[in-house]
Amino acid sequence: MKHLIALALVAASTVAAQATELRPIEAASIELGPVKGVAYYDLRGSECHLVATLAQGEGLPVRFSSILAPQERISISVPGPAGAAAQEIVFTRRGDSVVVSGPQPVRSLNN
């Protein structure tokens, strides 16, 4: 039983999501396996407008937008191959900032 618990902890740590705090109007590169894109948010009064645009290769881009309430979170997922888990990226509003977590590191495009 101890070996099973240790194996589960090791497996969980290898697929742990990486979290990054975004800044308003600062585009960040996001990646979900073969699907890549950018995300940013804008504060308009008390509203937090999140926009993410994704595409696979040269395919048609898809844009997601949402207004996040305080502490609200949304996710975007891409299915994996048969028998594999989907890849997911999660956007969480914390105060006046947005934290994004997913399987790949998020990189700012403004640096």
Side-chain angles (χ1 to χ4, degrees):
M1 181 69 168
K2 288 181 184 179
H3 295 295
L4 184 58
I5 293 171
L7 180 60
L9 290 173
V10 169
S13 68
T14 61
V15 295
Q18 302 198 22
T20 303
E21 185 173 326
L22 300 180
R23 289 185 252 170
I25 308 296
E26 181 176 286
S29 173
I30 56 177
E31 187 173 325
L32 290 165
V35 178
K36 297 173 179 28
V38 295
Y40 68 91
Y41 76 97
D42 182 18
L43 292 172
R44 300 177 198 164
S46 63
E47 294 185 337
C48 178
H49 294 253
L50 173 70
V51 177
T53 304
L54 302 163
Q56 182 173 353
E58 297 297 318
L60 185 66
V62 177
R63 178 169 293 144
F64 301 88
S65 63
S66 179
I67 298 174
L68 296 175
Q71 304 306 315
E72 186 174 22
R73 51 188 273 163
I74 65 163
S75 65
I76 300 172
S77 65
V78 174
Q87 293 198 32
E88 178 180 55
I89 192 161
V90 178
F91 299 90
T92 305
R93 180 175 177 187
R94 292 194 182 141
D96 285 343
S97 64
V98 172
V99 175
V100 57
S101 58
Q104 303 293 323
V106 174
R107 298 177 311 278
S108 170
L109 298 177
N110 295 18
N111 292 337

